[in-house]
Amino acid sequence: MAKLESGLACISSDTAALEEFYRRHIEAVSRFVARRVRDPHTAADLTAEVFLAAIDSAHTYRPSAGSELGWLYGVARNVVATERRRAARESRAVGRIAGRRLLDAEDIARLEERIDAESAGRHTYEALAEFPEGIRALLELITVDGLTVTEAAAALGIQPVTARVRLHRARKAVRAALSTHSAALAYSKE
Amino acid sequence: MQKFEERLLAELKDVVAAQTASAPVDSRTRRARWRWVGLATAAAATAAGLAIGIPVLTGDRAPQANAVVRDPDGSIRIYIRDYRHPEVIASRLRGLGVPAVVDFVPNDKRCRTPRGTVTPNNDRWLVTGEPQQDDGQGPYNRLHPDRIGPGKTLVLEVSFTSFSGGASVAWMFVGTATGSVGPCVLVPAPPKMTRGPNGGVGG
């Protein structure tokens, strides 16, 4: 654990550090993905791609900028957003790292259960699709993933004050659009 | 943890191990060790419907992690240094917004066709090599994603030759696909497509 305190760069070169990091966050990443996609095969692909992206960009993490999980959610959000843009252009997924190749029937059933369990968050995520990107990114991390405003700002690489301004602008629109989940936003923590 | 998570961890550790296995190589050494596939190879490969223009690694250079880097003009440098994880290149290209299917195949094989609606892109210079350039990280090919076309997927099939102390690119098929691309099922390559480590075209 000590080696991770100064950053995450070691996960791209040290398999033991990677394993430690992976085991610490696989559950959170799996749920993050399950709040965004309905298909277990796509969920498996995205989970694999999130960790690959984390390995690639581990050197960018700075503990002083926020929590490790917040940073990882920022990475995961970029991966999912890229997939969403790609999916808008194509009818089906092609040739990624093939997380789906690692699935057996039991895995699929288990992923489907997880996806079902995250349906409330996924509905919120889908409802946010109509918002402008900058606001949507912030709202996603707060209302769907439960980050604080400060954590969400760190995940998105923006200043907390910028996040608060965006949040202020978004509140009225969100209350109108998301009657069920606006409470989470109203009580979001610093 | 259960099965999928354990299998995924094993794959990720393989990727990191491949990166860890790489050793820094002095750029002057690298510069001396790579060269361009000759015109004879280009002619033979182009006749076979293959894009060409492949920087080649020779000698005892240790394998390094594959990488893709976007430049300010929007083009992307593709570094092929390791012939075990084509999915890493595909994934990284997708991370840059380029849908891609990448396969590595031994020199005497190629992917069975058709794999879908795939069009070779020799004439559009989708991927170009830059034999005079070595940015200190080794040779690379340059992808021009703006030439792929909307809604299409980049298809790269990279043939490599293994030899004592390293491996090199033998040829590269570059195409674009409309719709899905089938898996790469290896079949024997025509003899004229095979190439030895000295750069000569077989057959």
Side-chain angles (χ1 to χ4, degrees):
Chain A
M1 204 58 153
K3 72 174 81 174
L4 293 180
E5 288 175 356
S6 59
L8 291 174
C10 54
I11 69 170
S12 60
S13 59
D14 180 341
T15 56
L18 169 67
E19 180 167 353
E20 189 180 323
F21 173 82
Y22 177 89
R23 292 190 187 282
R24 192 158 61 249
H25 297 303
I26 178 64
E27 178 72 19
V29 169
S30 298
R31 293 194 180 283
F32 181 98
V33 170
R35 288 191 288 270
R36 284 158 174 79
V37 299
R38 297 169 182 271
D39 170 45
H41 297 92
T42 303
D45 287 342
L46 289 175
T47 302
E49 294 205 22
V50 167
F51 278 100
L52 259 183
I55 291 169
D56 286 347
S57 55
H59 62 283
T60 66
Y61 172 66
R62 297 287 179 273
S64 58
S67 72
E68 194 176 280
L69 183 60
W71 172 84
L72 185 57
Y73 276 2
V75 172
R77 194 186 172 280
N78 287 339
V79 169
V80 174
T82 299
E83 162 64 15
R84 190 167 50 194
R85 287 194 295 271
R86 186 208 57 74
R89 295 193 304 264
E90 300 174 45
S91 59
R92 55 173 290 187
V94 289
R96 63 188 75 247
I97 192 171
R100 64 185 63 200
R101 178 169 55 79
L102 308 175
L103 295 174
D104 62 21
E106 286 184 19
D107 293 323
I108 292 171
R110 191 161 44 82
L111 282 178
E112 285 175 337
E113 285 176 14
R114 176 172 295 154
I115 287 168
D116 286 346
E118 300 293 342
S119 62
R122 197 167 52 255
H123 291 323
T124 304
Y125 173 77
E126 290 167 353
L128 292 172
E130 301 302 318
F131 287 85
E133 169 61 20
I135 290 175
R136 184 179 68 214
L138 188 65
L139 294 182
E140 260 183 55
L141 293 173
I142 294 172
T143 62
V144 178
D145 303 305
L147 295 191
T148 66
V149 176
T150 304
E151 287 172 335
L156 297 172
I158 60 176
Q159 293 297 319
V161 65
T162 307
R164 288 190 203 99
V165 169
R166 287 186 189 175
L167 203 53
H168 178 74
R169 286 209 313 263
R171 274 193 167 110
K172 285 185 180 177
V174 170
R175 285 195 186 103
L178 303 172
S179 57
T180 305
H181 295 280
S182 59
L185 190 63
Y187 295 106
S188 57
K189 299 170 185 170
E190 290 292 323
Chain B
M1 278 190 293
Q2 301 171 35
K3 291 177 181 177
F4 164 70
E5 288 82 353
E6 292 296 339
R7 293 190 205 105
L8 175 56
L9 174 59
E11 293 241 342
L12 292 167
K13 288 169 81 172
D14 280 350
V15 170
V16 168
Q19 294 180 170
T20 307
S22 66
V25 178
D26 180 84
S27 61
R28 290 166 300 179
T29 306
R30 278 203 298 269
R31 196 185 306 277
R33 289 186 184 282
W34 74 274
R35 58 193 167 75
W36 202 247
V37 176
L39 290 176
T41 308
T46 303
L50 304 173
I52 203 68
I54 315 297
V56 176
L57 296 177
T58 61
D60 59 357
R61 181 181 167 206
Q64 295 185 329
N66 296 324
V68 299
V69 179
R70 186 187 287 281
D71 282 327
D73 67 355
S75 67
I76 296 171
R77 282 172 276 150
I78 302 176
Y79 296 85
I80 300 177
R81 300 152 166 163
D82 172 327
Y83 298 90
R84 287 173 293 178
H85 294 288
E87 72 277 8
V88 173
I89 291 182
S91 177
R92 289 174 176 169
L93 285 172
R94 276 192 295 277
L96 295 179
V98 179
V101 175
V102 182
D103 291 286
F104 293 158
V105 300
N107 186 28
D108 59 345
K109 308 282 190 199
R110 72 163 305 183
C111 298
R112 186 174 66 197
T113 57
R115 298 174 66 188
T117 308
V118 180
T119 306
N121 270 257
N122 310 4
D123 56 338
R124 298 182 63 189
W125 297 107
L126 189 56
V127 175
T128 56
E130 300 183 15
Q132 302 308 314
Q133 296 189 35
D134 184 340
D135 60 356
Q137 301 180 58
Y140 57 86
N141 286 278
R142 185 174 293 280
L143 168 67
H144 302 274
D146 55 313
R147 300 174 189 173
I148 293 176
K152 294 194 172 181
T153 298
L154 173 69
V155 180
L156 289 182
E157 183 182 335
V158 181
S159 168
F160 65 93
T161 303
S162 298
F163 53 91
S164 176
S168 67
V169 174
W171 49 260
M172 182 187 292
F173 171 85
V174 182
T176 56
T178 302
S180 62
V181 180
C184 178
V185 178
L186 293 178
V187 295
K192 66 181 179 182
M193 288 172 57
T194 62
R195 185 177 68 81
N198 62 358
V201 178

